[in-house]
Amino acid sequence: MMIKPTLKFLIIFCVLMFSNYSFAQLPNDCANAITVCGDSDIVLDVNGTGITNEFPNSCGSNENNSLWLEVTVVNNGTLAFTLTPSSAAISEDYDFFVFGPNPTCGSLGSAIRCNTTNPQAAGQGNNLTGMNNTIAAASGSQPTGGPGAAGNSFVTEINALAGETYFVVIDRPIGNSPFSLEWTGTAQFSDAPVSAFPDFDPNQTLNLTECDAVAPFTDGFTEFDLEVNTPLIIGTQTNVSLAYYASESDANIEVNNLTSPYTNTANPQIIYTRLTDTSTGCFTIVQFQLFVNTQPPITTPNNLVVCDDVLNDGIAQFDLESQTAAILGTQNPADFTVTYHNSLADANNGINNLTSPYTNTTDPETIFVRMESTTNAACVATTQFDLIVDPIPIINAPSNIEVCDDDLNDQIELFDLESQTTTILGTQNPADFTVTYHTSSTDADSGNNALTSPYQNISNPEQIFIRITPNTGNTSCHNFSTIPFDLIVNTLPTITTIPDYGECDVDSDGFTQFDLTTQDNNLINGQANIIVNYFENITDANANINAIPNPTTYTNTVTNTQTIFVNLLNTLTNCSSTTSFNIIANAQPLITTISDYGVCDNATDGDDTNGFTEFDLTTQ
């Protein structure tokens, strides 16, 4: 149950000048009272007093032009309202009468509230009337007012109990103005059923359009199945009934309901649908329109896209009839014949129908559709769509990605996976495809858990799987690699620390010549596929550029001691390490000229005249 809004119930009360209108069908008798619900808005054309005058001389008045309302209160609260004529002329005079609680038509008893004050005669400043606890309370408890100049047009509101029912009769003895009725008390009424679509919904979901399939086929009148809207309007609600009417007045008082097939009486024509709660009698009126066209409404379907076959030649087979449901929309397939053609001329003439499976001759190829009424061959519409063959994406197998390990030599590095995309796509347009990378073939197949760059490997080597998907067209036309490429981290050449390398500086000027290649074996230390280059600075060594051009005959450029930088390059992995050692120009020893050294030839050898004797050379 909704909280009652300020404007609870709006009734426009108009006088009809047609004398042949059946008054018994109007809500101006107790038996035809309108049930007031939730926040319903009801529009009625009414006139006269009905057949039975059920309250003679209540508050000094009888029925003149009356409207009967029935309200059932669902909570304890005050029953109050303000009636405002649409014309502010003080001569516009409205009366009202309230019967209850729980009255019975034919034996209503006396009105418990009524007011027949004439606002002009009473000298009031406006022509409003109603029940409340403010204006009426100024004179104390005031259940009645009028007639004529008596009263102030308002009477005391009713303290109603949940479950009580009241009849409220609105009467207009003088004037011809419509009125609005605003419920101002705290009493609430049962909510009306809610249509699944708003009145005249902007999407026109409920509107029905038919081709003029009834002879003479050009008069704009044909048959409609109104009941196709029944499940749409009711939705999931229960305990509701639904009926269709040609006028809102008929819908309000539930007379002259329409049955299907229904032939429209105007083009377009508004149909009024009454959705009624079968337990409370509350109802909602929903409107939609009927349209009759000289050709059937035809929906242009989406293009039909399929994946190419293994030939990948832009030629494939199509099920043309798979488009029929979309072309017909909500229309009954039994009412139309849908055919497919190679040209608009063939579609217009209904010749050279195509059959499925159909093999296209170009890519794309336009197919023309003819939709023809089964009851009126002149009721024809055409449209078109394209056949498109999406190529199977081709994956060009990339090479493995190899990087050199960093100084940690932990075999974990960052990889730019997207560097493979150009190779993978080959001559295919990169804008047409999305290439993703995955750690398993399962993820590549499903498209889940795509990797992003830079990606850090978790093993060495590590396998990566590729998926390529079209960005447009048939996105189920994908491909993925079942043979992955590898991410490989190559180790760096091992650095062996070698001793400094010295040569004799024969002229003692601090410079001499060195054969640096004599250090190759010590630096390589048995490693395979290693070449050694020598450099004068660490920057060139790290970049492996500007190597010393003649390392076998290199003369130092720094006196005495100079650092030489080395790059060890693995020719298979292109990974390199750098180190250094010193070259030293050793000074030539100086020789001092000394005098001859002589000793006596003594007799220690047994012969003191043979010219031989002992010398102590260390004395020099």
Side-chain angles (χ1 to χ4, degrees):
M1 178 183 65
M2 299 176 61
I3 299 299
K4 184 176 67 179
T6 301
L7 181 59
K8 190 67 176 180
F9 189 59
L10 177 65
I11 301 175
I12 305 299
F13 182 12
C14 301
V15 176
L16 285 181
M17 301 306 294
F18 302 106
S19 60
N20 61 346
Y21 199 95
S22 174
F23 294 159
Q25 296 177 351
L26 299 176
N28 45 26
D29 277 310
C30 178
N32 295 321
I34 297 174
T35 302
V36 177
C37 302
D39 55 356
S40 300
D41 293 336
I42 296 180
V43 178
L44 283 176
D45 294 330
V46 296
N47 181 45
T49 60
I51 296 176
T52 305
N53 184 356
E54 301 195 59
F55 53 95
N57 271 333
S58 293
C59 284
S61 180
N62 296 313
E63 288 186 82
N64 297 279
N65 292 289
S66 60
L67 175 69
W68 287 71
L69 307 177
E70 181 180 3
V71 297
T72 299
V73 178
V74 296
N75 66 311
N76 296 340
T78 56
L79 186 61
F81 63 82
T82 299
L83 186 154
T84 305
S86 61
S87 170
I90 198 67
S91 59
E92 200 75 28
D93 182 14
Y94 272 92
D95 299 336
F96 67 86
F97 313 86
V98 181
F99 300 91
N102 305 318
T104 302
C105 290
S107 58
L108 295 173
S110 300
I112 62 171
R113 297 286 189 277
C114 60
N115 194 304
T116 58
T117 300
N118 182 291
Q120 188 172 24
Q124 296 185 176
N126 59 61
N127 57 7
L128 279 60
T129 187
M131 301 190 302
N132 60 31
N133 202 29
T134 55
I135 298 175
S139 302
S141 178
Q142 186 177 337
T144 65
N152 62 11
S153 293
F154 280 83
V155 297
T156 307
E157 64 192 12
I158 297 171
N159 290 319
L161 300 178
E164 290 182 341
T165 298
Y166 297 85
F167 284 115
V168 179
V169 184
I170 308 299
D171 189 62
R172 188 189 60 225
I174 302 174
N176 56 16
S177 169
F179 69 91
S180 64
L181 188 66
E182 179 183 355
W183 298 97
T184 59
T186 60
Q188 299 175 4
F189 314 131
S190 296
D191 287 330
V194 178
S195 169
F197 291 92
D199 198 17
F200 282 122
D201 68 291
N203 295 323
Q204 301 181 343
T205 308
L206 299 178
N207 289 346
L208 300 180
T209 302
E210 293 288 351
C211 184
D212 192 348
V214 177
F217 304 127
T218 57
D219 59 358
F221 300 104
T222 194
E223 292 182 342
F224 288 83
D225 180 10
L226 303 179
E227 276 70 22
V228 298
N229 275 340
T230 299
L232 298 180
I233 296 172
I234 292 178
T236 59
Q237 297 173 100
T238 58
N239 300 319
V240 295
S241 63
L242 187 146
Y244 300 92
Y245 300 88
S247 73
E248 193 161 11
S249 178
D250 285 353
N252 274 296
I253 57 179
E254 294 186 276
V255 296
N256 304 319
N257 61 295
L258 307 178
T259 59
S260 296
Y262 170 72
T263 300
N264 60 305
T265 59
N267 186 25
Q269 179 182 351
I270 297 177
I271 297 297
Y272 301 87
T273 308
R274 179 185 172 112
L275 186 62
T276 305
D277 187 315
T278 56
S279 60
T280 66
C282 292
F283 66 93
T284 298
I285 293 179
V286 181
Q287 305 178 55
F288 62 88
Q289 296 193 79
L290 306 180
F291 296 93
V292 180
N293 291 334
T294 56
Q295 67 176 25
I298 188 170
T299 302
T300 299
N302 294 328
N303 293 329
L304 193 54
V305 184
V306 300
C307 287
D308 209 339
D309 55 24
V310 292
L311 297 178
N312 228 16
D313 56 2
I315 303 299
Q317 290 188 337
F318 293 83
D319 178 10
L320 302 180
E321 283 71 21
S322 65
Q323 299 282 72
T324 300
I327 292 167
L328 287 173
T330 60
Q331 299 172 103
N332 188 346
D335 294 340
F336 298 95
T337 300
V338 178
T339 54
Y340 301 87
H341 307 265
N342 284 127
S343 69
L344 180 58
D346 284 354
N348 286 332
N349 295 319
I351 59 175
N352 301 320
N353 301 358
L354 302 178
T355 58
S356 296
Y358 172 74
T359 301
N360 64 306
T361 57
T362 61
D363 183 28
E365 179 178 350
T366 300
I367 297 297
F368 298 87
V369 184
R370 175 187 177 93
M371 187 169 76
E372 177 183 317
S373 170
T374 55
T375 58
N376 177 12
C379 193
V380 173
T382 60
T383 188
Q384 65 187 57
F385 62 91
D386 286 343
L387 304 180
I388 299 174
V389 181
D390 265 358
I392 298 176
I394 299 172
I395 292 182
N396 299 292
S399 301
N400 297 330
I401 301 180
E402 298 189 35
V403 299
C404 297
D405 207 343
D406 56 21
D407 293 338
L408 298 177
N409 256 341
D410 57 1
Q411 301 184 49
I412 300 299
E413 287 297 325
L414 295 175
F415 291 82
D416 179 11
L417 302 179
E418 279 73 19
S419 65
Q420 300 286 65
T421 300
T422 300
T423 300
I424 291 166
L425 289 175
T427 59
Q428 299 170 107
N429 187 350
D432 294 339
F433 300 95
T434 296
V435 177
T436 53
Y437 301 86
H438 308 264
T439 56
S440 71
S441 60
T442 301
D443 283 350
D445 193 3
S446 63
N448 293 329
N449 303 317
L451 304 177
T452 57
S453 290
Y455 169 71
Q456 181 172 285
N457 65 306
I458 57 177
S459 62
N460 186 34
E462 181 176 358
Q463 293 181 329
I464 298 297
F465 297 80
I466 309 163
R467 176 188 176 98
I468 177 171
T469 305
N471 292 332
T472 58
N474 189 346
T475 55
S476 65
C477 189
H478 65 265
N479 200 356
F480 60 93
S481 173
T482 55
I483 302 177
F485 66 90
D486 286 343
L487 305 180
I488 299 174
V489 180
N490 291 314
T491 57
L492 303 178
T494 301
I495 296 296
T496 301
T497 301
I498 63 172
D500 294 340
Y501 166 34
E503 289 286 355
C504 185
D505 179 6
V506 295
D507 55 5
S508 298
D509 62 354
F511 298 95
T512 192
Q513 191 175 85
F514 295 85
D515 181 1
L516 300 178
T517 61
T518 61
Q519 306 305 303
D520 286 2
N521 289 338
N522 290 334
L523 290 165
I524 294 172
N525 196 23
Q527 299 176 89
N529 307 309
I530 301 295
I531 60 173
V532 180
N533 286 304
Y534 299 90
F535 303 85
E536 292 182 337
N537 61 73
I538 186 60
T539 301
D540 286 351
N542 285 334
N544 202 19
I545 58 174
N546 303 320
I548 293 172
N550 299 302
T552 58
T553 57
Y554 177 70
T555 298
N556 57 308
T557 59
V558 178
T559 59
N560 299 324
T561 302
Q562 178 180 345
T563 300
I564 295 297
F565 299 91
V566 183
N567 181 289
L568 302 178
L569 175 67
N570 187 315
T571 56
L572 292 182
T573 66
N574 206 36
C575 295
S576 63
S577 300
T578 57
T579 187
S580 65
F581 63 91
N582 291 327
I583 55 175
I584 302 171
N586 292 316
Q588 179 80 13
L590 296 178
I591 298 177
T592 303
T593 302
I594 61 175
S595 302
D596 292 341
Y597 168 36
V599 297
C600 292
D601 184 2
N602 54 32
T604 58
D605 57 358
D607 185 354
D608 57 1
T609 62
N610 60 4
F612 296 96
T613 191
E614 292 179 346
F615 293 86
D616 182 3
L617 299 179
T618 62
T619 62
Q620 304 303 304

